[in-house]
Amino acid sequence: MTTTERREAAVGRVREAEEVVARLRGGFAGVGIVLPSLRIDPLSYGGDGPVALVDLGRCNLDTALRLSQVLEGEGAGHGG
């Protein structure tokens, strides 16, 4: 694989990660959850073999509890 091909592949992975972050942000917002630190980890795509890791970040206890409720199905249909 040439340098240009590796660079194009890396750009594609970063774009894909950006789309996933946007989908996650929208999905969380739909159930009343905001993860302020949700992002692509900038260090994860800086090397020769970028992996574009999604960083879900940190959140406060209330957000963590809300997230656990949604994952357990308790938040369904409650409008956030």
Side-chain angles (χ1 to χ4, degrees), residues 17 29 35 37 56 65 69 71 75 77:
L35 295 177
S37 301
L56 296 174
L65 288 170
Q69 290 170 344
L71 291 173

Side-chain angles (χ1 to χ4, degrees), residues 22-42:
R23 288 173 51 195
L24 284 168
R25 192 169 278 125
F28 286 135
V31 293
I33 295 173
V34 175
L35 295 177
S37 301
L38 178 62
R39 66 185 181 130
I40 301 171
D41 179 358

Side-chain angles (χ1 to χ4, degrees), residues 6 8-9 14 18 20 27 36 45-46 57 64 71:
R6 281 194 303 272
E8 288 173 0
V14 169
E18 288 171 342
V20 168
Y45 57 87
L71 291 173

Side-chain angles (χ1 to χ4, degrees), residues 7-77:
R7 190 174 302 130
E8 288 173 0
V11 168
R13 294 297 290 167
V14 169
R15 284 190 184 132
E16 185 178 14
E18 288 171 342
E19 291 172 11
V20 168
V21 167
R23 288 173 51 195
L24 284 168
R25 192 169 278 125
F28 286 135
V31 293
I33 295 173
V34 175
L35 295 177
S37 301
L38 178 62
R39 66 185 181 130
I40 301 171
D41 179 358
L43 298 178
S44 69
Y45 57 87
D48 290 336
V51 291
L53 297 174
V54 174
D55 185 356
L56 296 174
R58 302 174 349 167
C59 63
N60 64 30
L61 179 58
D62 290 340
T63 300
L65 288 170
R66 176 72 180 127
L67 183 56
S68 70
Q69 290 170 344
V70 168
L71 291 173
E72 294 167 358
E74 297 174 20

